[in-house]
Amino acid sequence: MAGTIKGMTIEIGGNTAPLENALKDVNKEINSTQKELKEVNKLLKLDPTNTDLLRQKQQLLGDQIKSTTTKLDALKQAQKQLDAEMKNGGNVNQEEYRKLQREIINTEGTLKKL
């Protein structure tokens, strides 16, 4: 099975490599934004009233929320595909399915925290 989410193609059914590859770019973007956000937070400790840094922080948080939402959508789409495959009697690796569920829970928690 394959599904497309905002330019990402996800194929599920024993082979999780396409999902991992699709999420790799999103994870890179999230990590890059987190690093930049840490730098801004360090500078804000020195000067908490700097409006440029506050604006940058808000923009970075918005980018982080957008990237995390994209990741969550991709994970939920993959879960729907696995659920449909299991419903149709397909063979689904239970370990990978549980791993996917944990990743969804973790991503939802991160999004709430942001």
Side-chain angles (χ1 to χ4, degrees):
M1 283 190 138
T4 303
I5 301 174
K6 296 181 186 178
M8 293 187 281
T9 301
I10 301 168
E11 183 178 319
I12 302 294
N15 184 9
T16 60
L19 174 61
E20 291 171 6
N21 289 336
L23 292 177
K24 189 185 302 183
D25 292 336
V26 175
N27 286 335
K28 279 183 186 178
E29 186 177 329
I30 289 171
N31 289 336
S32 172
T33 305
Q34 283 176 341
K35 287 178 185 176
E36 194 173 351
L37 194 54
K38 280 183 182 181
E39 291 175 22
V40 170
N41 283 332
K42 281 182 190 178
L43 293 173
L44 277 171
K45 285 182 181 179
L46 297 174
D47 184 10
T49 59
N50 188 320
T51 56
D52 278 341
L53 290 175
L54 291 171
R55 182 187 50 78
Q56 285 180 19
K57 182 175 181 176
Q58 289 300 315
Q59 183 180 8
L60 290 169
L61 287 172
D63 292 346
Q64 189 81 356
I65 289 170
K66 186 173 137 185
S67 298
T68 304
T69 302
T70 300
K71 178 180 178 179
L72 184 60
D73 290 344
L75 291 169
K76 285 187 175 184
Q77 180 66 30
Q79 184 180 24
K80 284 181 185 178
Q81 290 176 0
L82 282 175
D83 289 342
E85 191 172 319
M86 286 189 332
K87 195 177 210 180
N88 293 330
N91 186 17
V92 175
N93 183 339
Q94 291 300 314
E95 181 180 338
E96 291 296 327
Y97 185 76
R98 288 189 302 269
K99 183 179 175 183
L100 177 65
Q101 287 178 321
R102 287 190 302 269
E103 186 67 26
I104 289 172
I105 291 168
N106 184 32
T107 305
E108 286 174 339
T110 301
L111 192 56
K112 286 179 185 177
K113 190 172 104 176
L114 289 171

